[in-house]
């Protein structure tokens, strides 16, 4: 495997699928974009070695994508692929810096030659250019796949705070939204890449062990403490400690954590020695800490200490634009890990995925795809392999019902009516609409009534 990543930009799904499978067979990692905008987002967020670009795009002319990309990512070679090989487009592409121009329909040997030549002659930048006030892109932030406008301020704030390791960061969001991923990105972007990142799940460790897990203990501190043991705070020295599920930390330990944050020192269990703290603290929780304070479950003084730089990651259902990119990223990883072609998700499969609410957020999406990737053959993943659809979760049931309601497909309803003028009436139009809906719903009157947003009794009078 060469492991080089090639972005294919084409609005034609058939070409995308063909190129995806072929590139995969040749040992490359394919990434796909159907629009110019998707391509620019992927270029900004992923490491890409080469781009294969169609010139005719629905939202943005391929030449414009080429021009914008050359300005921002001048080191990435482009191969232009087009059915419109006029002299003007060839010259225009080459003038905008394309490494090669191949006309459709193309010959696969020519394409492979062109890819190899372009990759061999590419210019690899020596260092990232740094714009004033903007931290250099970190590999970790590049791992965060997102194009949702709701994530833009989230990522921007995370980047900004990454340069200030003394500032405690509080990450809020439902389980599985990517709080740990963001904490790691902040850690790495702050130049801490080669330093320890220690994540402690405050909810997963029994209360009586948590203190010694965090602060460590000395020999004889309690029954069974037969030697000194370093805690997580010591392991995180010089790096970052992520206190995950901080809302579940027992109250007695919250006092001790407050002291750590205020005095930047801690005392191992059974010791009198004060150890100086030298790490970035990131806390994360799926709870609303304000509410926990009101309920007396979280100390308000600790809340004010940890809530200095709050960042809330929106749930996946509020940023569904991210789903196709996340799906492609997880499938690319699975392709590599499993050595399967995995040519993508079928159109109906993607409709189901986009219609579902994802209560388990990105983690649930990732797990569903992993299961689907195991059971699918060499075809695109159909809805039947998407495990979440058969789950007992009410949202899944709602989605299934919605799909059943639309007759299992998302085709638009069409109502054609041809009647002589003497029979044409409101009653005739209504009757036709009722018949059409019943047929679409396999004569299920309740479903048909829900679809028409009316009462099922309207069908009783129908002839
Ligand atoms: N934007 C993203 N891009 C790529 N992968 C992501 C993204 N967000 C989340 N993931 C993946 O989803 C999974 C869950 O992410 P993570 O553990 O960071 O969530 P979390 O909010 O910390 O969850 P919890 O509250 O349960 O600890 C991980 O496998 C992570 O790699």
């Amino acid at each position: 495997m060469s492991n080089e990543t090639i972005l294919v930009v084409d609005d034609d799904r058939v070409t995308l699928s063909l190129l995806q499978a072929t590139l995969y067979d040749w040992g490359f990692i394919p990434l796909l974009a159907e629009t110019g905008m998707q391509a620019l987002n992927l270029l900004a967020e992923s490491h890409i070695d080469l781009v294969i670009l169609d010139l005719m795009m629905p939202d943005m002319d391929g030449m414009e994508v080429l021009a914008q990309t050359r300005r921002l990512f001048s080191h990435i070679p482009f191969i232009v692929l087009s059915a419109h090989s006029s002299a003007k487009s060839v010259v225009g592409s080459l003038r905008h810096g394309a490494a090669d121009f191949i006309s459709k329909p193309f010959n696969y040997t020519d394409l492979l030659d062109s890819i190899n030549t372009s990759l061999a002659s590419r210019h690899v930048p020596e260092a990232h250019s740094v714009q004033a006030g903007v931290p250099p892109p970190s590999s970790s932030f590049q791992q965060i796949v997102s194009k949702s406008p709701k994530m833009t301020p989230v990522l921007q704030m995370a980047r900004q705070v990454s340069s200030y390791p003394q500032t405690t960061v509080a990450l809020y969001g439902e389980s599985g939204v990517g709080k740990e991923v963001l904490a790691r990105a902040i850690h790495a972007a702050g130049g801490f890449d080669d330093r320890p990142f220690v994540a402690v799940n405050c909810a997963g460790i029994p209360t009586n062990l948590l203190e010694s897990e965090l602060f460590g203990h000395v020999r004889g501190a309690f029954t069974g403490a037969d030697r000194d043991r370093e805690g997580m705070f010591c392991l995180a020295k010089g790096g970052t400690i992520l206190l995950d599920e901080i809302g579940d930390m027992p109250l007695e330990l919250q006092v001790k954590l407050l002291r750590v944050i205020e005095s930047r020192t801690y005392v191992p269990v059974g010791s009198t020695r004060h150890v100086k703290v030298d790490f970035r603290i990131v806390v994360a929780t799926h709870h609303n800490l304000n509410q926990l304070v009101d309920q007396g479950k979280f100390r308000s003084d600790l809340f004010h200490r940890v809530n200095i730089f709050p960042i809330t990651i929106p749930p996946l259902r509020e940023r569904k634009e991210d789903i196709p990119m996340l799906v492609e990223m997880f499938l690319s990883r699975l392709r590599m890990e499993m050595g399967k072609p995995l040519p993508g998700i079928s159109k109906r499969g993607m409709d189901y995925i986009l219609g579902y609410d994802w209560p388990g957020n990105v983690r649930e999406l990732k797990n569903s795809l992993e299961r689907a990737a195991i059971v699918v053959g060499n075809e695109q993943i159909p809805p039947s392999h998407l495990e979440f659809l058969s789950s007992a979760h009410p949202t899944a049931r709602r989605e299934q019902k919605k799909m059943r309601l639309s007759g299992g497909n998302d085709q638009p309803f069409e109502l054609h009516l041809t009647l002589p003028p003497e029979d044409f009436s409101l009653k005739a139009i209504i009757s036709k609409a009722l018949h059409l809906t019943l047929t679409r719903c396999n004569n299920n009157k309740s479903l048909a009534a829900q679809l028409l947003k009316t009462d099922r009794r309207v069908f009783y009078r129908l002839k």
Side-chain angles (χ1 to χ4, degrees):
M1 275 234 170
S2 72
N3 273 343
E4 270 140 335
T5 303
I6 299 186
L7 171 66
V8 186
V9 193
D10 200 313
D11 61 326
D12 174 19
R13 287 191 176 185
V14 178
T15 310
L16 278 184
S17 300
L18 279 174
L19 280 174
Q20 182 184 36
T22 310
L23 289 171
Y24 182 79
D25 282 347
W26 288 341
F28 298 108
I29 302 165
L31 279 184
L32 309 179
E34 277 183 53
T35 63
M37 201 39 93
Q38 270 178 20
L40 289 174
N41 283 326
L42 278 170
L43 279 157
E45 285 152 5
S46 322
H47 171 87
I48 286 167
D49 296 288
L50 176 99
V51 180
I52 299 178
L53 172 76
D54 181 21
L55 272 193
M56 302 297 281
M57 306 290 292
D59 62 333
M60 201 186 275
D61 178 65
M63 207 71 88
E64 197 186 323
V65 180
L66 187 54
Q68 286 207 32
T69 319
R70 295 301 297 172
R71 197 162 42 78
L72 297 166
F73 312 94
S74 56
H75 59 288
I76 304 178
F78 269 73
I79 296 173
V80 170
L81 205 59
S82 179
H84 308 272
S85 54
S86 66
K88 192 172 159 225
S89 55
V90 179
V91 172
S93 308
L94 297 176
R95 188 172 292 150
H96 277 102
D100 203 354
F101 188 105
I102 297 184
S103 332
K104 280 183 179 173
F106 54 88
N107 170 318
Y108 280 95
T109 318
D110 291 347
L111 180 63
L112 183 57
D113 281 350
S114 174
I115 290 174
N116 286 332
T117 315
S118 306
L119 284 174
S121 59
R122 85 194 122 138
H123 160 68
V124 179
E126 280 167 18
H128 287 297
S129 59
V130 181
Q131 293 165 20
V134 181
S138 119
S139 56
S140 271
F141 273 110
Q142 284 173 8
Q143 312 263 321
I144 299 182
V145 169
S146 180
K147 64 177 221 179
S148 159
K150 286 207 169 175
M151 284 295 283
T152 310
V154 170
L155 296 175
Q156 191 187 353
M157 284 174 76
R159 279 201 178 90
Q160 284 167 339
V161 79
S162 67
S163 317
Y164 301 94
Q166 290 303 314
T167 304
T168 301
V169 181
L171 300 179
Y172 297 101
E174 292 177 10
S175 184
V177 282
K179 298 186 290 295
E180 181 165 342
V181 175
L182 195 62
R184 286 183 185 277
I186 292 171
H187 166 78
F192 280 37
D193 245 349
D194 53 348
R195 306 207 197 162
F197 176 93
V198 177
V200 190
N201 183 346
C202 302
I205 303 173
T207 309
N208 57 339
L209 290 185
L210 189 55
E211 183 176 359
S212 113
E213 279 295 314
L214 287 177
F215 303 124
H217 61 249
V218 293
R219 187 166 167 234
F222 48 84
T223 320
D226 50 5
R227 61 190 170 87
D228 289 2
R229 187 168 176 262
E230 285 171 346
M232 303 284 202
F233 280 1
C234 181
L235 297 178
K237 201 169 166 198
T240 300
I241 189 151
L242 167 65
L243 298 172
D244 204 358
E245 301 305 351
I246 185 127
D248 297 280
M249 184 179 261
L251 278 166
E252 61 268 30
L253 216 57
Q254 292 180 20
V255 193
K256 298 191 175 170
L257 180 61
L258 181 67
R259 214 171 300 139
V260 176
I261 298 177
E262 276 179 343
S263 66
R264 309 303 282 183
T265 60
Y266 68 92
V267 181
V269 179
S271 169
T272 48
R273 185 174 52 99
H274 285 252
V275 182
K276 192 147 177 34
V277 166
D278 151 34
F279 45 64
R280 180 202 293 274
I281 302 175
V282 180
V283 303
T285 180
H286 68 278
H287 288 294
N288 177 333
L289 283 188
N290 249 323
Q291 257 173 26
L292 293 188
V293 170
D294 289 345
Q295 293 164 4
K297 292 181 183 157
F298 201 81
R299 294 180 62 105
S300 79
D301 45 8
L302 181 59
F303 171 68
H304 293 299
R305 284 283 172 213
V306 297
N307 199 45
I308 294 170
F309 200 90
I311 303 179
T312 301
I313 307 180
L316 191 55
R317 65 181 167 280
E318 288 179 15
R319 48 181 169 111
K320 290 198 171 171
E321 313 87 308
D322 286 350
I323 290 181
M325 290 172 78
L326 283 165
V327 166
E328 188 40 52
M329 182 203 59
F330 289 133
L331 287 182
S332 297
R333 284 192 199 162
L334 289 163
R335 263 176 221 123
M336 278 196 286
E337 283 165 23
M338 300 169 69
K340 267 178 123 171
L342 300 176
I345 307 268
S346 71
K347 159 102 177 53
R348 283 195 62 209
M350 186 54 92
D351 289 345
Y352 274 88
I353 288 180
L354 290 170
Y356 182 55
D357 265 1
W358 299 106
N361 293 293
V362 186
R363 180 180 293 114
E364 189 186 2
L365 175 65
K366 186 178 168 199
N367 293 345
S368 296
L369 290 173
E370 190 172 330
R371 277 192 298 265
I374 291 169
V375 290
V376 77
N378 287 343
E379 73 277 15
Q380 291 192 320
I381 296 172
S384 54
H385 289 337
L386 295 165
E387 179 82 0
F388 68 89
L389 290 173
S390 59
S391 80
H393 198 279
T395 322
R397 287 204 301 270
R398 229 172 26 241
E399 281 312 317
Q400 282 169 305
K401 194 168 163 194
K402 234 159 62 188
M403 290 302 283
R404 272 204 318 274
L405 263 177
S406 60
N409 64 50
D410 53 4
Q411 293 304 308
F413 284 83
E414 283 181 38
L415 185 63
H416 297 288
L417 194 58
T418 315
L419 285 173
E422 62 275 20
D423 291 340
F424 186 72
S425 65
L426 181 61
K427 206 170 153 199
I429 297 172
I430 292 173
S431 165
K432 178 84 181 174
L434 295 177
H435 276 295
L436 169 91
T437 316
L438 267 181
T439 311
R440 176 93 166 223
C441 294
N442 288 331
N443 278 326
N444 182 328
K445 293 193 180 68
S446 301
L447 283 183
Q450 279 185 52
L451 193 56
L452 286 172
K453 295 147 200 87
T454 184
D455 194 285
R456 70 196 297 274
R457 278 171 297 188
V458 295
F459 295 100
Y460 297 158
R461 294 187 291 271
L462 197 62
K463 296 207 188 77

PDB file of all heavy atoms in Angstrom, residues 242-261:
ATOM      1  N   LEU A 242      -7.233  15.206  31.177  1.00  0.00           N
ATOM      2  CA  LEU A 242      -8.649  15.371  30.846  1.00  0.00           C
ATOM      3  C   LEU A 242      -9.463  14.722  31.959  1.00  0.00           C
ATOM      4  O   LEU A 242      -9.370  13.506  32.170  1.00  0.00           O
ATOM      5  CB  LEU A 242      -8.980  14.704  29.500  1.00  0.00           C
ATOM      6  CG  LEU A 242     -10.477  14.541  29.201  1.00  0.00           C
ATOM      7  CD1 LEU A 242     -11.175  15.887  29.038  1.00  0.00           C
ATOM      8  CD2 LEU A 242     -10.688  13.691  27.935  1.00  0.00           C
ATOM      9  N   LEU A 243     -10.215  15.521  32.697  1.00  0.00           N
ATOM     10  CA  LEU A 243     -11.094  14.978  33.737  1.00  0.00           C
ATOM     11  C   LEU A 243     -12.468  14.812  33.109  1.00  0.00           C
ATOM     12  O   LEU A 243     -13.272  15.747  33.056  1.00  0.00           O
ATOM     13  CB  LEU A 243     -11.127  15.916  34.946  1.00  0.00           C
ATOM     14  CG  LEU A 243      -9.766  16.111  35.636  1.00  0.00           C
ATOM     15  CD1 LEU A 243      -9.824  17.193  36.691  1.00  0.00           C
ATOM     16  CD2 LEU A 243      -9.285  14.793  36.251  1.00  0.00           C
ATOM     17  N   ASP A 244     -12.685  13.588  32.576  1.00  0.00           N
ATOM     18  CA  ASP A 244     -13.920  13.305  31.850  1.00  0.00           C
ATOM     19  C   ASP A 244     -15.024  13.004  32.857  1.00  0.00           C
ATOM     20  O   ASP A 244     -14.769  12.435  33.907  1.00  0.00           O
ATOM     21  CB  ASP A 244     -13.675  12.094  30.931  1.00  0.00           C
ATOM     22  CG  ASP A 244     -14.643  12.078  29.767  1.00  0.00           C
ATOM     23  OD1 ASP A 244     -15.505  12.956  29.704  1.00  0.00           O
ATOM     24  OD2 ASP A 244     -14.513  11.175  28.912  1.00  0.00           O
ATOM     25  N   GLU A 245     -16.241  13.348  32.507  1.00  0.00           N
ATOM     26  CA  GLU A 245     -17.403  13.161  33.387  1.00  0.00           C
ATOM     27  C   GLU A 245     -17.179  13.809  34.742  1.00  0.00           C
ATOM     28  O   GLU A 245     -17.465  13.223  35.792  1.00  0.00           O
ATOM     29  CB  GLU A 245     -17.751  11.665  33.553  1.00  0.00           C
ATOM     30  CG  GLU A 245     -18.072  10.936  32.282  1.00  0.00           C
ATOM     31  CD  GLU A 245     -19.186  11.588  31.461  1.00  0.00           C
ATOM     32  OE1 GLU A 245     -19.838  12.514  31.959  1.00  0.00           O
ATOM     33  OE2 GLU A 245     -19.370  11.183  30.304  1.00  0.00           O
ATOM     34  N   ILE A 246     -16.672  15.037  34.731  1.00  0.00           N
ATOM     35  CA  ILE A 246     -16.387  15.751  35.992  1.00  0.00           C
ATOM     36  C   ILE A 246     -17.641  15.950  36.824  1.00  0.00           C
ATOM     37  O   ILE A 246     -17.589  16.003  38.051  1.00  0.00           O
ATOM     38  CB  ILE A 246     -15.700  17.100  35.715  1.00  0.00           C
ATOM     39  CG1 ILE A 246     -15.304  17.772  37.033  1.00  0.00           C
ATOM     40  CG2 ILE A 246     -16.601  18.077  34.967  1.00  0.00           C
ATOM     41  CD1 ILE A 246     -13.920  18.174  37.116  1.00  0.00           C
ATOM     42  N   GLY A 247     -18.810  15.992  36.155  1.00  0.00           N
ATOM     43  CA  GLY A 247     -20.070  16.188  36.876  1.00  0.00           C
ATOM     44  C   GLY A 247     -20.358  15.030  37.822  1.00  0.00           C
ATOM     45  O   GLY A 247     -21.169  15.166  38.741  1.00  0.00           O
ATOM     46  N   ASP A 248     -19.714  13.887  37.599  1.00  0.00           N
ATOM     47  CA  ASP A 248     -19.964  12.717  38.450  1.00  0.00           C
ATOM     48  C   ASP A 248     -18.909  12.566  39.541  1.00  0.00           C
ATOM     49  O   ASP A 248     -18.871  11.555  40.228  1.00  0.00           O
ATOM     50  CB  ASP A 248     -19.991  11.452  37.580  1.00  0.00           C
ATOM     51  CG  ASP A 248     -21.134  11.497  36.590  1.00  0.00           C
ATOM     52  OD1 ASP A 248     -22.266  11.202  36.995  1.00  0.00           O
ATOM     53  OD2 ASP A 248     -20.906  11.877  35.429  1.00  0.00           O
ATOM     54  N   MET A 249     -18.056  13.574  39.678  1.00  0.00           N
ATOM     55  CA  MET A 249     -17.014  13.471  40.712  1.00  0.00           C
ATOM     56  C   MET A 249     -17.652  13.639  42.093  1.00  0.00           C
ATOM     57  O   MET A 249     -18.447  14.559  42.303  1.00  0.00           O
ATOM     58  CB  MET A 249     -15.961  14.563  40.479  1.00  0.00           C
ATOM     59  CG  MET A 249     -14.799  14.473  41.422  1.00  0.00           C
ATOM     60  SD  MET A 249     -13.581  15.761  41.066  1.00  0.00           S
ATOM     61  CE  MET A 249     -12.397  14.873  40.118  1.00  0.00           C
ATOM     62  N   PRO A 250     -17.311  12.746  43.047  1.00  0.00           N
ATOM     63  CA  PRO A 250     -17.920  12.873  44.375  1.00  0.00           C
ATOM     64  C   PRO A 250     -17.576  14.225  45.017  1.00  0.00           C
ATOM     65  O   PRO A 250     -16.471  14.745  44.810  1.00  0.00           O
ATOM     66  CB  PRO A 250     -17.290  11.729  45.180  1.00  0.00           C
ATOM     67  CG  PRO A 250     -16.445  10.957  44.242  1.00  0.00           C
ATOM     68  CD  PRO A 250     -16.398  11.628  42.923  1.00  0.00           C
ATOM     69  N   LEU A 251     -18.526  14.737  45.828  1.00  0.00           N
ATOM     70  CA  LEU A 251     -18.361  16.083  46.416  1.00  0.00           C
ATOM     71  C   LEU A 251     -17.076  16.206  47.231  1.00  0.00           C
ATOM     72  O   LEU A 251     -16.375  17.215  47.167  1.00  0.00           O
ATOM     73  CB  LEU A 251     -19.565  16.412  47.301  1.00  0.00           C
ATOM     74  CG  LEU A 251     -20.793  16.938  46.552  1.00  0.00           C
ATOM     75  CD1 LEU A 251     -22.022  16.914  47.434  1.00  0.00           C
ATOM     76  CD2 LEU A 251     -20.542  18.349  46.031  1.00  0.00           C
ATOM     77  N   GLU A 252     -16.731  15.128  47.992  1.00  0.00           N
ATOM     78  CA  GLU A 252     -15.543  15.252  48.852  1.00  0.00           C
ATOM     79  C   GLU A 252     -14.265  15.420  48.030  1.00  0.00           C
ATOM     80  O   GLU A 252     -13.311  16.068  48.450  1.00  0.00           O
ATOM     81  CB  GLU A 252     -15.427  14.108  49.863  1.00  0.00           C
ATOM     82  CG  GLU A 252     -15.309  12.708  49.288  1.00  0.00           C
ATOM     83  CD  GLU A 252     -16.661  12.001  49.112  1.00  0.00           C
ATOM     84  OE1 GLU A 252     -17.687  12.699  48.871  1.00  0.00           O
ATOM     85  OE2 GLU A 252     -16.695  10.761  49.181  1.00  0.00           O
ATOM     86  N   LEU A 253     -14.287  14.858  46.820  1.00  0.00           N
ATOM     87  CA  LEU A 253     -13.096  14.998  45.967  1.00  0.00           C
ATOM     88  C   LEU A 253     -13.093  16.345  45.239  1.00  0.00           C
ATOM     89  O   LEU A 253     -12.042  16.878  44.887  1.00  0.00           O
ATOM     90  CB  LEU A 253     -13.065  13.853  44.958  1.00  0.00           C
ATOM     91  CG  LEU A 253     -11.680  13.333  44.631  1.00  0.00           C
ATOM     92  CD1 LEU A 253     -10.962  12.884  45.881  1.00  0.00           C
ATOM     93  CD2 LEU A 253     -11.771  12.191  43.648  1.00  0.00           C
ATOM     94  N   GLN A 254     -14.281  16.873  45.056  1.00  0.00           N
ATOM     95  CA  GLN A 254     -14.376  18.187  44.393  1.00  0.00           C
ATOM     96  C   GLN A 254     -13.610  19.249  45.185  1.00  0.00           C
ATOM     97  O   GLN A 254     -12.964  20.115  44.611  1.00  0.00           O
ATOM     98  CB  GLN A 254     -15.844  18.593  44.241  1.00  0.00           C
ATOM     99  CG  GLN A 254     -16.616  17.731  43.251  1.00  0.00           C
ATOM    100  CD  GLN A 254     -18.069  18.166  43.141  1.00  0.00           C
ATOM    101  OE1 GLN A 254     -18.435  19.282  43.489  1.00  0.00           O
ATOM    102  NE2 GLN A 254     -18.912  17.263  42.673  1.00  0.00           N
ATOM    103  N   VAL A 255     -13.644  19.153  46.542  1.00  0.00           N
ATOM    104  CA  VAL A 255     -12.921  20.133  47.375  1.00  0.00           C
ATOM    105  C   VAL A 255     -11.432  20.044  47.066  1.00  0.00           C
ATOM    106  O   VAL A 255     -10.740  21.059  46.929  1.00  0.00           O
ATOM    107  CB  VAL A 255     -13.085  19.816  48.881  1.00  0.00           C
ATOM    108  CG1 VAL A 255     -12.631  20.977  49.738  1.00  0.00           C
ATOM    109  CG2 VAL A 255     -14.469  19.370  49.216  1.00  0.00           C
ATOM    110  N   LYS A 256     -10.964  18.790  46.939  1.00  0.00           N
ATOM    111  CA  LYS A 256      -9.519  18.600  46.709  1.00  0.00           C
ATOM    112  C   LYS A 256      -9.112  19.090  45.329  1.00  0.00           C
ATOM    113  O   LYS A 256      -8.028  19.639  45.155  1.00  0.00           O
ATOM    114  CB  LYS A 256      -9.151  17.138  46.917  1.00  0.00           C
ATOM    115  CG  LYS A 256      -9.427  16.722  48.332  1.00  0.00           C
ATOM    116  CD  LYS A 256      -8.877  15.392  48.721  1.00  0.00           C
ATOM    117  CE  LYS A 256      -9.153  15.205  50.224  1.00  0.00           C
ATOM    118  NZ  LYS A 256      -8.896  13.895  50.717  1.00  0.00           N
ATOM    119  N   LEU A 257     -10.001  18.875  44.362  1.00  0.00           N
ATOM    120  CA  LEU A 257      -9.686  19.339  43.007  1.00  0.00           C
ATOM    121  C   LEU A 257      -9.646  20.871  42.968  1.00  0.00           C
ATOM    122  O   LEU A 257      -8.781  21.478  42.325  1.00  0.00           O
ATOM    123  CB  LEU A 257     -10.725  18.804  42.013  1.00  0.00           C
ATOM    124  CG  LEU A 257     -10.506  19.227  40.572  1.00  0.00           C
ATOM    125  CD1 LEU A 257      -9.167  18.719  40.043  1.00  0.00           C
ATOM    126  CD2 LEU A 257     -11.628  18.727  39.674  1.00  0.00           C
ATOM    127  N   LEU A 258     -10.534  21.478  43.744  1.00  0.00           N
ATOM    128  CA  LEU A 258     -10.575  22.942  43.815  1.00  0.00           C
ATOM    129  C   LEU A 258      -9.221  23.462  44.294  1.00  0.00           C
ATOM    130  O   LEU A 258      -8.661  24.422  43.746  1.00  0.00           O
ATOM    131  CB  LEU A 258     -11.681  23.358  44.793  1.00  0.00           C
ATOM    132  CG  LEU A 258     -11.889  24.847  44.986  1.00  0.00           C
ATOM    133  CD1 LEU A 258     -12.408  25.472  43.703  1.00  0.00           C
ATOM    134  CD2 LEU A 258     -12.889  25.103  46.113  1.00  0.00           C
ATOM    135  N   ARG A 259      -8.687  22.767  45.299  1.00  0.00           N
ATOM    136  CA  ARG A 259      -7.382  23.178  45.843  1.00  0.00           C
ATOM    137  C   ARG A 259      -6.305  23.062  44.768  1.00  0.00           C
ATOM    138  O   ARG A 259      -5.441  23.925  44.636  1.00  0.00           O
ATOM    139  CB  ARG A 259      -7.035  22.287  47.045  1.00  0.00           C
ATOM    140  CG  ARG A 259      -6.273  23.043  48.118  1.00  0.00           C
ATOM    141  CD  ARG A 259      -6.123  22.222  49.370  1.00  0.00           C
ATOM    142  NE  ARG A 259      -7.392  21.826  49.984  1.00  0.00           N
ATOM    143  CZ  ARG A 259      -7.614  20.614  50.512  1.00  0.00           C
ATOM    144  NH1 ARG A 259      -6.703  19.674  50.480  1.00  0.00           N
ATOM    145  NH2 ARG A 259      -8.775  20.339  51.049  1.00  0.00           N
ATOM    146  N   VAL A 260      -6.364  21.982  43.995  1.00  0.00           N
ATOM    147  CA  VAL A 260      -5.356  21.782  42.939  1.00  0.00           C
ATOM    148  C   VAL A 260      -5.414  22.965  41.965  1.00  0.00           C
ATOM    149  O   VAL A 260      -4.395  23.553  41.606  1.00  0.00           O
ATOM    150  CB  VAL A 260      -5.618  20.479  42.147  1.00  0.00           C
ATOM    151  CG1 VAL A 260      -4.624  20.323  41.001  1.00  0.00           C
ATOM    152  CG2 VAL A 260      -5.581  19.276  43.058  1.00  0.00           C
ATOM    153  N   ILE A 261      -6.631  23.316  41.575  1.00  0.00           N
ATOM    154  CA  ILE A 261      -6.765  24.377  40.570  1.00  0.00           C
ATOM    155  C   ILE A 261      -6.344  25.727  41.161  1.00  0.00           C
ATOM    156  O   ILE A 261      -5.688  26.534  40.502  1.00  0.00           O
ATOM    157  CB  ILE A 261      -8.214  24.424  40.025  1.00  0.00           C
ATOM    158  CG1 ILE A 261      -8.525  23.101  39.337  1.00  0.00           C
ATOM    159  CG2 ILE A 261      -8.401  25.579  39.058  1.00  0.00           C
ATOM    160  CD1 ILE A 261      -9.939  22.976  38.825  1.00  0.00           C
TER     161      ILE A 261
END
